[in-house]
Amino acid sequence: MRSDIGSLKTSSEPRYRDRRARGGRAWARVGGALLGTLLLGVVPGTAQETSEDVLRQQIRESQDRLDRIRGERRRLQNELQGLTSQVHNVSEEIVNIERQITASSSLVAELDVQLLALMEQVAISTRDMLLTRDQLTTREVVLRERLREIYKRGPLAPVQVLLAATSFSDLLNRYKYLHQVALFDRLLVQEVGRLEHELEDYRTDLARNAESIREVRDEKAIELEELNRLEQQRQRRLSTYSSRQTQAENRLAQLAAEEEQLRGVLAALEEQRRALEAASGAVSVSTMTTGDVGQLDWPVEGNIVYNFGPERQGNTTILREGVGIAAPVGSLVRTVEAGEVRYAEFRGIAGYTVIVGHGGGYYSVYLHLQGLSVSAGDRVEARQVIGRVGDTAAPDLPPYIEFQIHEPSGSGDPRAVDPVRWLRGRS
């Protein structure tokens, strides 16, 4: 280009004028080619933008999943706090902790997804930044060369080119050429500026992505610590559960033994009653009749914590011969009907136990009492206080008493029946 401009001289030879005219047209073509080359260099790459858009979408979707998982874990943590603030089965805590472990594992997995996407973004941005830097270096070399040429020609070079035209057509070609060269120089400067801004944007993106990677890694480290804490908590709860399960199994075995003893006591009391009646020739009149079914008052006010009949606990099935009625420790316990206290003693984990005989083979039994207000042989009336609710209940249940009713049976020994059917219905 410099040699072309520098070679413009005035000549009177026709052949030389024709050559210059053809050269003017060639300059216009060269200027157009240079302009086209520069314009091609500024077309953005759609493949790069598409790839980055996909990564950004992946990160947004991963962040949405993270938010949902965090919400679920917060709900589980609140649920666990509710469980630990009340009497409950340890197995419920274990299930909750295991669900929190699953949530934390999902969080770690989602953070890994974000890390991979961010690192891929960094790789793409680094590659594009290097390409942009190469393009900028090339454009700066061209720009420096153009500035050197413009300086060497001086400010009057364009005027000299126009004045050297030999015809109006040559003048137009030269003007078009100079216009395209000026446009090329202007676009070259703009391109250098654009590439510099683009390079700065890449540096900013890299710094931002590097900060995001650091934050995600820090969050992942925190989640891994939380996961480790939950695992340790689960192991402690499992150990506690195993210990409580052993205690519960021992307690159930002891309860079964005491129930068997209680049945023996009732059988002995019934045998004694029959023997006394046979010896005296008198027949006792029962204070409980079938007409009392559904009419007796409750021994204590409270909710039922377990029902009459078989109950599955872990790998063991126990036979409940009464119902558990929850009430605060110290609440008064009253007889459901008049009768005679036939038994009033302390019986291991069943606590103080009272058996009231109502005659005719009917008995009401009260277990888990705190102290006694009566003694064996005492006559009691309906609704008379015989003791208070104790604290010998199971560890996974609130304080309660167990209430039983035994009726005559064909075998001679009293048999346990569902006592709720004898009690008044409650709205």
Side-chain angles (χ1 to χ4, degrees):
M1 186 182 302
R2 180 180 58 190
S3 60
D4 290 339
I5 297 176
S7 63
L8 290 174
K9 297 178 180 179
T10 305
S11 174
S12 59
E13 299 179 3
R15 184 176 58 182
Y16 192 69
R17 285 201 304 272
D18 292 341
R19 185 183 306 167
R20 284 185 300 180
R22 290 195 301 270
R25 291 191 293 271
W27 296 335
R29 289 194 297 271
V30 170
L34 288 173
L35 184 61
T37 300
L38 183 59
L39 290 175
L40 285 175
V42 301
V43 176
T46 57
Q48 166 195 338
E49 294 176 355
T50 301
S51 178
E52 291 183 353
D53 289 343
V54 170
L55 288 174
R56 291 192 188 97
Q57 181 65 24
Q58 288 178 354
I59 293 175
R60 284 195 296 269
E61 292 175 353
S62 177
Q63 188 61 46
D64 290 340
R65 291 193 294 270
L66 275 175
D67 293 339
R68 288 195 297 271
I69 295 170
R70 288 193 182 101
E72 173 64 13
R73 192 172 64 175
R74 283 194 297 271
R75 187 191 67 78
L76 290 171
Q77 289 170 345
N78 293 334
E79 179 182 297
L80 182 59
Q81 290 177 357
L83 288 173
T84 54
S85 65
Q86 61 185 354
V87 178
H88 63 281
N89 194 321
V90 180
S91 61
E92 295 177 2
E93 275 193 36
I94 295 174
V95 171
N96 179 281
I97 293 170
E98 287 177 344
R99 290 167 65 188
Q100 286 193 56
I101 289 174
T102 300
S104 290
S105 299
S106 298
L107 276 173
V108 172
E110 286 299 334
L111 291 172
D112 284 335
V113 169
Q114 290 197 9
L115 277 176
L116 289 175
L118 286 169
M119 287 189 289
E120 189 172 350
Q121 268 193 335
V122 167
I124 292 174
S125 296
T126 302
R127 181 200 64 196
D128 293 338
M129 185 180 72
L130 294 175
L131 291 174
T132 302
R133 183 181 296 169
D134 291 342
Q135 290 179 357
L136 178 60
T137 301
T138 301
R139 299 295 190 276
E140 286 176 340
V141 169
V142 175
L143 181 60
R144 282 196 297 270
E145 183 65 21
R146 290 289 301 129
L147 291 174
R148 187 181 299 111
E149 291 178 357
I150 293 171
Y151 176 77
K152 289 173 65 176
R153 294 193 197 99
L156 297 178
V159 177
Q160 293 173 352
V161 171
L162 292 174
L163 292 177
T166 58
S167 65
F168 183 72
S169 174
D170 187 25
L171 178 64
L172 289 179
N173 286 334
R174 288 169 183 265
Y175 174 79
K176 184 176 181 181
Y177 167 76
L178 289 174
H179 173 73
Q180 289 179 340
V181 168
L183 181 59
F184 171 82
D185 290 340
R186 184 164 59 252
L187 289 178
L188 182 59
V189 173
Q190 292 176 356
E191 175 71 357
V192 169
R194 184 190 69 81
L195 289 173
E196 287 176 344
H197 286 301
E198 188 173 324
L199 194 60
E200 185 61 30
D201 289 342
Y202 279 128
R203 292 193 184 101
T204 303
D205 287 343
L206 283 173
R208 183 170 56 250
N209 286 336
E211 178 65 18
S212 297
I213 288 174
R214 185 190 65 77
E215 291 176 354
V216 171
R217 282 176 174 165
D218 290 345
E219 188 175 358
K220 181 180 176 182
I222 293 173
E223 288 301 331
L224 288 174
E225 290 180 3
E226 176 67 10
L227 191 58
N228 183 57
R229 185 190 69 80
L230 288 171
E231 286 286 358
Q232 293 178 355
Q233 186 177 8
R234 184 172 74 97
Q235 291 301 322
R236 289 195 299 270
R237 288 294 186 272
L238 284 173
S239 177
T240 301
Y241 180 73
S242 178
S243 175
R244 286 195 180 182
Q245 188 176 26
T246 301
Q247 294 175 4
E249 289 174 353
N250 294 336
R251 188 175 187 279
L252 289 175
Q254 188 174 351
L255 274 175
E258 290 186 4
E259 287 288 351
E260 184 64 29
Q261 293 172 4
L262 183 60
R263 284 191 289 270
V265 169
L266 286 166
L269 291 175
E270 179 62 11
E271 184 178 354
Q272 184 182 15
R273 181 191 69 81
R274 289 182 175 181
L276 288 174
E277 289 183 358
S280 63
V283 177
S284 62
V285 178
S286 175
T287 56
M288 293 179 63
T289 65
T290 54
D292 293 325
V293 172
Q295 299 300 316
L296 301 180
D297 290 327
W298 288 66
V300 67
E301 290 298 325
N303 296 323
I304 293 178
V305 293
Y306 60 79
N307 294 302
F308 175 83
E311 179 182 334
R312 183 78 173 176
Q313 289 194 2
N315 298 324
T316 306
T317 299
I318 60 174
L319 181 62
R320 300 287 194 184
E321 295 200 335
V323 294
I325 307 173
V329 173
S331 300
L332 297 178
V333 181
R334 304 174 186 273
T335 58
V336 295
E337 186 55 275
E340 179 186 354
V341 176
R342 301 294 304 278
Y343 182 91
E345 294 184 13
F346 183 80
R347 297 181 61 253
I349 62 173
Y352 287 96
T353 301
V354 173
I355 301 176
V356 177
H358 301 283
Y362 289 90
Y363 297 88
S364 58
V365 184
Y366 312 80
L367 301 93
H368 300 297
L369 302 181
Q370 183 185 66
L372 297 173
S373 301
V374 293
S375 301
D378 291 348
R379 294 293 304 180
V380 291
E381 301 297 328
R383 304 294 298 154
Q384 181 174 332
V385 174
I386 57 174
R388 296 176 181 271
V389 175
D391 58 357
T392 59
D396 56 345
L397 292 175
Y400 70 95
I401 68 163
E402 182 172 326
F403 175 61
Q404 302 177 2
I405 286 184
H406 295 256
E407 299 178 351
S409 68
S411 64
D413 296 335
R415 63 183 181 90
V417 296
D418 187 353
V420 173
R421 73 185 185 91
W422 284 84
L423 303 176
R424 296 182 188 275
R426 294 187 296 188
S427 57

